[in-house]
Amino acid sequence: MWYLIEGYDFPDALPKRGASRPAHLERLTALRDQGRLLLAGPCPAIDAEDPGPAGFSGSLIVAEFESLDAARAWADADPYVAAGVYERVEVRPFRKVLP
């Protein structure tokens, strides 16, 4: 089943986000290579493709896991959690309809 993982950044988390980004992307790349990643990306804190120093308000990931517990465990192990980028993370089931 698909699960939506939404991380919400701490204020001023941009430096921590940059430092832990390679490890974060490595995990997402592994999901992609396994055919389990539907989409992933950051949410700019302002209405701009590149928010610059404004940074990001969080991130969204939609990926396939065997259970909600497995999705939560994967999200809890994210390098952004360990680095203090995310203030909180929500994980919930997701049902893809379109496209």
Side-chain angles (χ1 to χ4, degrees):
M1 180 165 186
W2 295 107
Y3 293 90
L4 185 146
I5 301 169
E6 191 165 10
Y8 297 85
D9 284 19
F10 277 106
D12 302 318
L14 190 59
K16 292 177 182 176
R17 181 181 269 273
S20 53
R21 187 170 189 260
H24 173 77
L25 290 178
E26 184 177 319
R27 296 178 80 233
L28 291 171
T29 300
L31 284 178
R32 183 202 62 200
D33 292 349
Q34 296 164 14
R36 297 173 42 210
L37 184 66
L38 183 63
L39 65 92
C43 302
I46 60 172
D47 189 13
E49 182 75 20
D50 179 358
F56 300 91
S57 62
S59 300
L60 178 82
I61 298 164
V62 178
E64 189 174 35
F65 294 93
E66 61 203 33
S67 67
L68 181 57
D69 286 341
R72 284 184 177 142
W74 188 92
D76 288 345
D78 193 296
Y80 281 178
V81 171
V85 173
Y86 290 154
E87 182 173 27
R88 75 179 198 281
V89 177
E90 294 182 11
V91 181
R92 55 192 182 275
F94 178 80
R95 189 172 142 222
K96 182 179 183 245
V97 176
L98 293 172

